[in-house]
Amino acid sequence: MNRWINGALISLVLAPQVGLQAGRLAGQQGNRPAGQQLDAAAIMEKNFQASKVTGIRMEASMVLINDKGQQRERRNTSTVALQPNGVDSKFAVKFSTPADIRGTAFLQVEHSEGDDDLWIYLPALKKSRRLVASNKKDSFVGSDFSYGDVSLPKVSKYRHTQTRTEQMDGVDCYVIESIPVDDTVKANSGYSRKLTWVRSDNFVETKVEYYDEAARLLKTQRVTKPQLVDAKLGRYFPLLREMTNHQTGHKTTLTVLKLDTNVPTPDELFTTRYIERDVP
């Protein structure tokens, strides 16, 4: 396996969002939405719940673009499922190409009352390695996404403030500043603060700015093409994510090529035994 990839392996994708109709935002920046009394934490809670899909399977293309414009593609298949408590999700991704990372896999099982279970499988080592909270700031397969970017963090881990409202991609958005509640959360994530543009119509984030521990702008994520995957619950899954690292000039795009909803997601799919199996 590419030595750089092998050393960098730690974080990925995917973070979706939902929503109940929240009403239109007032036209002026800084005004709150007409008829709405949502505070910043409540908005972020809706944003968090928006990604809680019952069960999906997708094929995706991850393209890594360096500062010279050179591209490398990784193909993967992912499965996401909602746990019985209706809050925590399970996520498994396996890479099929290129050959140097074929079989590499990542497993995350969320626990709202404690630390999430995180595992990475490297075929060269022929065993799964358990990750710890401090790994959440590390890169996943050399991409500009981190393990902590794979799924939305627990709302209670941050202090949230609505800074203003403005349009993004023609849609009214709440702009929420999120600051870690303590130094441990800050160190584990690698972020001193985040700014999130949350759509008022479905509570899917459309843009996120990440600031490093020195308060400098580190990365920007753009989230587009949210697809409704559960009309009853109002759940959405974005089909395109793009993460730009402003300090290195690197960029990563994650494009969903095929999305199947309400698919069977047996518990065995979310085990280290399963991610250690050869890819189909």
Side-chain angles (χ1 to χ4, degrees):
M1 173 178 292
N2 181 301
R3 185 177 62 181
W4 178 63
I5 296 293
N6 189 37
L9 273 178
I10 313 183
S11 186
L12 208 206
V13 282
L14 306 223
Q17 272 72 40
V18 15
L20 310 167
Q21 193 80 5
R24 300 288 292 172
L25 296 182
Q28 298 295 322
Q29 290 189 6
N31 294 336
R32 288 187 177 274
Q36 297 296 316
Q37 299 300 320
L38 293 176
D39 63 18
I43 292 169
M44 295 308 291
E45 189 64 42
K46 286 181 177 291
N47 172 251
F48 179 82
Q49 288 296 328
S51 64
K52 301 304 177 179
V53 293
T54 302
I56 62 172
R57 182 179 173 86
M58 64 180 177
E59 297 175 11
S61 168
M62 174 186 283
V63 178
L64 283 59
I65 307 168
N66 68 16
D67 56 352
K68 297 180 176 61
Q70 298 169 323
Q71 300 185 10
R72 290 173 292 162
E73 183 185 25
R74 286 104 170 76
R75 290 288 183 103
N76 66 74
T77 300
S78 302
T79 306
V80 184
L82 189 63
Q83 297 186 53
N85 64 9
V87 176
D88 296 321
S89 294
K90 297 179 289 186
F91 170 71
V93 57
K94 300 182 73 171
F95 285 84
S96 56
T97 61
D100 63 347
I101 66 165
R102 175 183 167 83
T104 298
F106 173 65
L107 170 66
Q108 177 178 33
V109 180
E110 294 180 338
H111 299 292
S112 47
E113 300 303 322
D115 291 335
D116 298 339
D117 291 326
L118 305 171
W119 296 86
I120 185 76
Y121 173 66
L122 304 177
L125 301 180
K126 299 187 182 304
K127 64 184 296 185
S128 296
R129 172 193 166 200
R130 191 181 190 114
L131 305 178
V132 296
S134 60
N135 290 132
K136 286 192 170 183
K137 62 177 176 292
D138 297 334
S139 167
F140 181 76
V141 269
S143 78
D144 296 291
F145 290 91
S146 71
Y147 282 108
D149 300 332
V150 171
S151 62
L152 295 178
K154 298 176 179 66
V155 176
S156 61
K157 295 289 188 181
Y158 291 80
R159 294 188 295 271
H160 307 280
T161 304
Q162 182 178 334
T163 64
R164 62 190 184 275
T165 63
E166 66 181 28
Q167 285 202 343
M168 179 66 60
D169 298 332
V171 179
D172 294 319
C173 296
Y174 305 90
V175 183
I176 307 296
E177 180 184 57
S178 301
I179 297 176
V181 295
D182 56 38
D183 288 340
T184 299
V185 175
K186 178 180 177 180
N188 288 343
S189 68
Y191 305 135
S192 62
R193 64 190 283 255
K194 296 191 297 182
L195 283 178
T196 306
W197 281 252
V198 180
R199 292 171 57 129
S200 66
D201 57 350
N202 58 20
F203 291 99
V204 176
E205 77 270 19
T206 188
K207 177 182 176 182
V208 187
E209 290 182 349
Y210 305 84
Y211 292 79
D212 66 16
E213 294 185 67
R216 300 169 301 185
L217 179 62
L218 174 61
K219 300 188 298 188
T220 297
Q221 181 178 188
R222 294 286 281 114
V223 184
T224 55
K225 300 183 179 180
Q227 179 169 312
L228 181 65
V229 296
D230 188 331
K232 183 177 180 180
L233 296 178
R235 304 295 167 93
Y236 292 80
F237 198 93
L239 301 182
L240 178 61
R241 293 178 177 275
E242 180 178 278
M243 184 75 83
T244 301
N245 188 314
H246 301 288
Q247 296 181 12
T248 65
H250 286 227
K251 179 167 64 176
T252 301
T253 63
L254 183 65
T255 305
V256 176
L257 305 174
K258 181 180 179 181
L259 182 66
D260 296 322
T261 62
N262 298 315
V263 296
T265 53
D267 291 341
E268 68 177 27
L269 297 182
F270 305 99
T271 62
T272 55
R273 177 179 296 180
Y274 178 77
I275 66 172
E276 289 171 2
R277 290 167 49 183
D278 190 22
V279 294

